[in-house]
Amino acid sequence: LTDLLVDMEAKHRDGKVKLARAQPFFGALHTLLRDRLETRVAGTDDPAILSLAKKCLQLAIGHESGETRTSFLKDSLLVGYLEVLATVIESARADLPEKRAPEEEWSIYATNVFALVQSPLAEGSKRSMLDFVLSDCLFQHDMIDGEIKLSKCCSVEARKAGFAVVENYAKLLRPHEMATFLETHLLPLLNSCPRPEKWRFKPSSGGRVHSHCGIVNLGCICYMISMLQQFFMVPQFRYQLLRAVDESPESLVEYKG
């Protein structure tokens, strides 16, 4: 399978394989991968799966995306690479208990998956898979010759696959690891994003598309809603709230108005 991936990428670069033809291959690959993951005994390692994930990562890094913001066509090769990575990362959750102590050790398989996401892409490099997905695939904004270089992922399908990688990784993290993720990846990314000089959004005069938007007013809480929306627009406050550890039991009371 790895040899077929490399061969398909090489033929794509030579113009011998169209992007659309990669979709059936990755469909079959995902079926085989999920069958393999379902038969894996929890807690045991599987070097073949990790080798496949590493190869998909290498190919994704060197792949020249065929997506643009003006086209709705997806790059099936890029989507396939990212979906494999997301599936492998998600599979590590089977080895983790629902509640994990900060000092609790991970299984060898989960440890290797975690290392795959966090390890440098090359010797001496400070960039990891997570940096590649966040910066290159989803939020690329480097200026080259006066123009912004587009992210690899422009289509809905590709961006969905890229966000799945980040989401599945975040679900593996314990609170202290989530704090590190927010501080070392998300906050610097937010701070590096260029701010627009003026808003390009123009409210529609045709009325609302949905019955409501924002936070539903349950009655006499409009000022509180305004404050919540203001807090939400402060990234540092938002992510500090997300990293908070609340061990108290849920106490939800249904509103009856």
Side-chain angles (χ1 to χ4, degrees), residues 204-215:
S204 173
S205 59
R208 293 178 178 175
V209 177
H210 305 287
S211 58
H212 62 265
C213 59
I215 304 174

Side-chain angles (χ1 to χ4, degrees), residues 19-65:
L19 293 175
R21 294 186 179 180
Q23 189 168 349
F25 170 81
F26 277 105
L29 175 61
H30 260 95
T31 300
L32 294 172
L33 177 59
R34 291 193 178 277
D35 287 345
R36 173 92 176 211
L37 291 170
E38 288 176 1
T39 57
R40 184 184 70 84
V41 178
T44 60
D45 198 13
D46 195 326
I49 291 178
L50 292 169
S51 176
L52 175 65
K54 289 178 181 178
K55 179 55 65 176
C56 284
L57 175 59
Q58 293 173 1
L59 293 173
I61 293 172
H63 180 73
E64 185 175 348
S65 176

